[in-house]
Amino acid sequence: MPKKVDHEARRREIAEALWRIASARGLDGAGLRDVAAEAGISLGRLQHYFRSKDDMLAFALRHINALADRRIRDRIEALDEEPTPRVVLRTCLVGMLPLDDRSRTGALVGAAYFVRAVHDADLRAEAKNGIPHLRDFFTGQLRRAADRGELPPARATDDEAMLLISLVDGLSTYLLLEVHTPEQALRLLDLHLGQLFDGRAGERRGAAG
């Protein structure tokens, strides 16, 4: 009997070949033929799995996001039994930053994808799909913090959640451009979290005075 091919696993292998090219020389030169050669398959076989470069790029981005989500979940599960909202948020935000080679490659693939998405409605819808879910999760953590007296209630909002997402997006861009080192990016992230959460302590001190 012919060997059964795991099509999803093969698509992931092709996506990882794309990442290796992106890591070495960027995505501009990563045509279908280049990726096929890196994956050790023929161009025709690659086109059996992906109709176009955009199709391949979209799958690669979803795969990268799934891996990042799993990595962040694993980090959260490894925390204390009842991590505070601040710890949960910091763990998520740090996990979204391109601080190592693999996450940097993922961020580069994402950047290339977003450039295409600006001019393509279907790709743009895909790119926007996960943002509301992430915003809602962050908002939920902010509200938990407010309920625990760790955050001013006025800052436990969707807007504040989007500011956190925007902060990480900006830091990620500057990490890719080497404007910031990983250490500098983490320092700025902690500075913002400190200002966000320590405001409640400042209110209590003012009331006591």
Side-chain angles (χ1 to χ4, degrees):
M1 289 181 62
K3 184 178 179 181
K4 186 176 180 179
V5 176
D6 185 335
H7 291 277
E8 197 65 15
R10 184 57 59 85
R11 282 161 66 86
R12 290 194 295 268
E13 290 172 4
I14 293 170
E16 289 169 10
L18 171 65
W19 301 347
R20 291 194 294 274
I21 292 175
S23 179
R25 61 178 189 267
L27 281 170
D28 288 343
L32 294 179
R33 193 177 301 277
D34 301 296
V35 177
E38 179 66 27
I41 60 176
S42 69
L43 177 59
R45 176 57 60 184
L46 184 146
Q47 291 173 321
H48 175 72
Y49 295 105
F50 296 107
R51 295 165 299 176
S52 66
K53 183 173 179 178
D54 282 344
D55 186 27
M56 179 177 62
L57 196 57
F59 177 85
L61 182 66
R62 288 194 297 270
H63 185 36
I64 285 171
N65 287 342
L67 291 176
D69 183 65
R70 174 61 61 86
R71 184 175 67 249
I72 292 169
R73 288 178 184 274
D74 288 345
R75 290 180 180 179
I76 292 175
E77 290 172 2
L79 296 172
D80 294 337
E81 188 173 339
E82 285 278 350
T84 65
R86 179 173 180 167
V87 169
V88 171
L89 284 169
R90 186 183 189 278
T91 300
C92 292
L93 294 166
V94 170
M96 293 165 63
L97 291 172
L99 298 174
D100 55 31
D101 289 342
R102 190 169 184 82
S103 58
R104 179 180 174 83
T105 298
L108 287 170
V109 174
Y113 179 83
F114 295 145
V115 168
R116 285 175 166 76
V118 170
H119 304 289
D120 186 304
D122 290 337
L123 295 179
R124 188 160 60 251
E126 177 77 30
K128 292 165 58 176
N129 185 50
I131 296 174
H133 301 291
L134 182 61
R135 179 203 62 208
D136 291 347
F137 177 74
F138 282 3
T139 301
Q141 292 300 313
L142 293 171
R143 288 174 178 163
R144 276 188 62 220
D147 290 343
R148 291 160 55 102
E150 299 167 354
L151 184 78
R155 302 197 70 176
T157 64
D158 285 348
D159 287 347
E160 198 68 53
M162 286 304 302
L163 286 173
L164 288 173
I165 295 170
S166 300
L167 171 64
V168 169
D169 283 346
L171 290 175
S172 296
T173 297
Y174 289 133
L175 280 164
L176 292 178
L177 293 174
E178 298 182 350
V179 174
H180 296 322
T181 65
E183 293 77 17
Q184 289 170 331
L186 290 173
R187 181 180 63 80
L188 290 170
L189 174 60
D190 285 330
L191 176 64
H192 181 76
L193 288 175
Q195 293 170 343
L196 177 62
F197 280 86
D198 293 345
R200 190 62 185 173
E203 284 184 6
R204 288 198 295 269
R205 286 194 297 271

